[in-house]
């Protein structure tokens, strides 16, 4: 298994981003009685904002982070989704790290 690469998402990534989010959240609708909001987001529009980073391994997108960057000192992560077939903890931790890097770089 190769290293994980983190990069900004592109429009070409949207179908795979959507698939990763669907897989990551698949168990929630039955548990909470409905689909979580990230499952219904328009990832084409979200990617256009420049706030999406993907985690890629061996040419496959295995995770995604959507940043919510506001004015001033406000920053939070809107969504982290990792495909269940991948090592969730490793991918999640690296997505959190890239979120912090993006936040610091914008200052």
């Amino acid at each position: 298994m190769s290293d994980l690469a983190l990069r900004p998402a592109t429009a070409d990534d949207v179908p795979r981003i959507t698939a990763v989010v669907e897989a990551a959240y698949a168990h929630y609708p039955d548990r909470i009685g409905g689909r979580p909001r990230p499952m219904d987001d328009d990832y084409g529009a979200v990617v256009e904002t420049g706030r999406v980073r993907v985690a890629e391994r061996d040419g496959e997108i295995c995770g995604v982070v959507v940043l919510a960057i506001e004015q001033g000192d406000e920053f939070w992560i809107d969504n982290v989704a990792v495909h269940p077939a991948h090592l969730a903890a490793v991918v999640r931790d690296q997505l959190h790290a890239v979120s912090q890097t993006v936040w610091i770089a914008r200052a």
Side-chain angles (χ1 to χ4, degrees):
M1 188 177 298
S2 69
D3 290 335
L4 196 64
L6 301 170
R7 62 173 176 78
T10 68
D12 291 340
D13 297 327
V14 170
R16 184 65 185 147
I17 290 169
T18 302
V20 167
V21 171
E22 286 289 325
Y25 285 91
H27 61 282
Y28 283 104
D30 288 340
R31 290 181 182 177
I32 65 173
R35 290 169 57 87
R37 181 204 38 88
M39 293 180 82
D40 295 325
D41 281 351
D42 176 356
Y43 286 98
V46 178
V47 165
E48 285 182 12
T49 68
R51 297 184 296 122
V52 182
R53 302 296 184 274
V54 295
E56 191 172 47
R57 178 176 281 139
D58 297 327
E60 180 181 357
I61 294 174
C62 54
V64 59
V65 62
V66 179
L67 309 172
I69 300 171
E70 297 295 323
Q71 294 180 354
D73 292 334
E74 296 179 12
F75 166 76
W76 66 92
I77 297 171
D78 182 56
N79 180 23
V80 174
V82 178
H83 196 285
H86 295 271
L87 298 172
V90 172
V91 174
R92 182 197 62 234
D93 290 348
Q94 289 195 18
L95 286 169
H96 279 131
V98 78
S99 299
Q100 292 171 349
T101 300
V102 169
W103 171 248
I104 291 166
R106 81 171 206 34

